[in-house]
Amino acid sequence: MNTTNKKTKVAVIGLGNIGKAIVANLVKGNHPVILSSREIEKAKSLSAEIGTLATAEEIGQAINDADIIIPAIYFDKIKEFLGKYATELKGKIIVDVSNPIAPDGNGGFKKIIDKDVSAGQTLLPLIPKDASLVKAFGTLGAGSLSGDAFAEPERKVLFYASDSTNSNKQIEELITDSGFKPFHIGGMSQSIRIEVFGDLHEFGALGKTVTLEEAKNVLN
């Protein structure tokens, strides 16, 4: 029996470093994935390179065909995305991987929204009717998302935040198939903790990827 047919249907929109890492990890974990981008030929080329578990579709079609939508695009472009595809996104689980940062001109990064506000909280009111928002995957840098997936002997943790526990099973399936151990830190009010500069982000107070035991020690 082909168990991949029972997997949660997921579409990754945008094929930058984070998007490509998510796609590669899911395929390695034997999870089918739909690729999409404004440049559809790039999506088709990448899907052909990855193999039969990856298929390329136009953005609107990809959203329609998936249960979980991962817009792996810059924070300042997501509002436009949510508005443009509001009809298609109704009832979907939308995963926010964004971090509201920009180069600071000194070789580092600066936050582009209020320091006490998260990207997740900012986007939450913009989510279409009956859709739900989850913060996940962007809680690690692209390098660690690729390099630390499927770690042995113990997998690294990938934190996520969500208000609707109805979506947690599907999100944890994706995180597990991506080679990480899922760890729910609470609702979207906690999402700032797993964005850049947050206390549970690799590029914040945490400073590294962690195992489940290490994560529990940090949170205690």
Side-chain angles (χ1 to χ4, degrees), residues 197-217:
F197 307 130
D199 65 311
L200 296 178
H201 194 281
E202 178 184 10
F203 301 141
L206 198 57
K208 62 177 183 178
T209 55
V210 294
T211 63
L212 180 59
E213 193 61 36
E214 290 171 330
K216 289 178 178 178
N217 288 338

Side-chain angles (χ1 to χ4, degrees), residues 22 34 37 62 72 93 99 106 112 116 130 140 143 158 163 179 183 186 189 197 202 214 218:
I22 294 170
I34 302 169
S37 169
I93 300 170
N99 283 286
N106 298 309
I112 57 175
D116 296 321
D130 298 328
L140 291 175
L158 198 63
D163 287 335
F183 195 119
S189 64
F197 307 130
E202 178 184 10
E214 290 171 330
V218 170

Side-chain angles (χ1 to χ4, degrees), residues 3-214:
T3 57
T4 59
N5 291 335
K6 296 184 177 181
K7 298 283 190 179
T8 299
K9 294 180 180 179
V10 56
V12 177
I13 315 296
L15 300 174
N17 292 336
I18 293 288
K20 287 180 180 177
I22 294 170
V23 168
N25 286 347
L26 284 171
V27 170
K28 185 176 180 180
N30 200 37
H31 196 117
V33 59
I34 302 169
L35 287 66
S36 193
S37 169
R38 287 180 300 179
E39 300 176 86
I40 188 61
E41 292 306 318
K42 286 188 177 181
K44 290 179 179 179
S45 177
L46 183 59
S47 68
E49 180 183 322
I50 291 173
T52 56
L53 286 179
T55 55
E57 295 179 357
E58 297 283 356
I59 294 176
Q61 188 63 49
I63 296 172
N64 282 328
D65 289 344
D67 302 308
I68 295 181
I69 315 303
I70 306 179
I73 56 182
Y74 290 117
F75 171 74
D76 59 359
K77 301 293 184 183
I78 296 180
K79 292 180 181 180
E80 177 187 343
F81 171 83
L82 293 175
K84 183 175 182 179
Y85 296 101
T87 299
E88 293 88 341
L89 288 167
K90 288 180 180 178
K92 304 293 184 176
I93 300 170
I94 303 166
V95 179
D96 174 30
V97 307
S98 71
N99 283 286
I101 56 174
D104 63 4
N106 298 309
F109 291 91
K110 62 182 178 181
K111 197 165 181 177
I112 57 175
I113 58 177
D114 188 270
K115 65 181 182 65
D116 296 321
V117 178
S118 70
Q121 289 171 300
T122 302
L123 297 174
L124 191 57
L126 307 177
I127 296 302
K129 183 180 179 181
D130 298 328
S132 58
L133 185 67
V134 177
K135 190 78 188 185
F137 291 105
T139 64
L140 291 175
S144 294
L145 199 60
S146 295
D148 285 354
F150 303 96
E152 295 290 349
E154 189 174 358
R155 288 192 175 190
K156 302 295 187 180
V157 160
L158 198 63
F159 297 107
Y160 75 99
S162 62
D163 287 335
S164 173
T165 56
N166 291 334
S167 62
N168 287 5
K169 181 179 179 181
Q170 295 99 314
I171 294 300
E172 294 200 354
E173 176 192 311
L174 289 191
I175 291 174
T176 300
D177 286 353
S178 296
F180 291 91
K181 187 78 173 177
F183 195 119
H184 184 225
I185 65 161
M188 291 301 292
S189 64
Q190 301 298 304
S191 61
I192 194 168
R193 303 183 67 189
I194 52 178
E195 295 179 5
V196 170
F197 307 130
D199 65 311
L200 296 178
H201 194 281
E202 178 184 10
F203 301 141
L206 198 57
K208 62 177 183 178
T209 55
V210 294
T211 63
L212 180 59
E213 193 61 36
E214 290 171 330

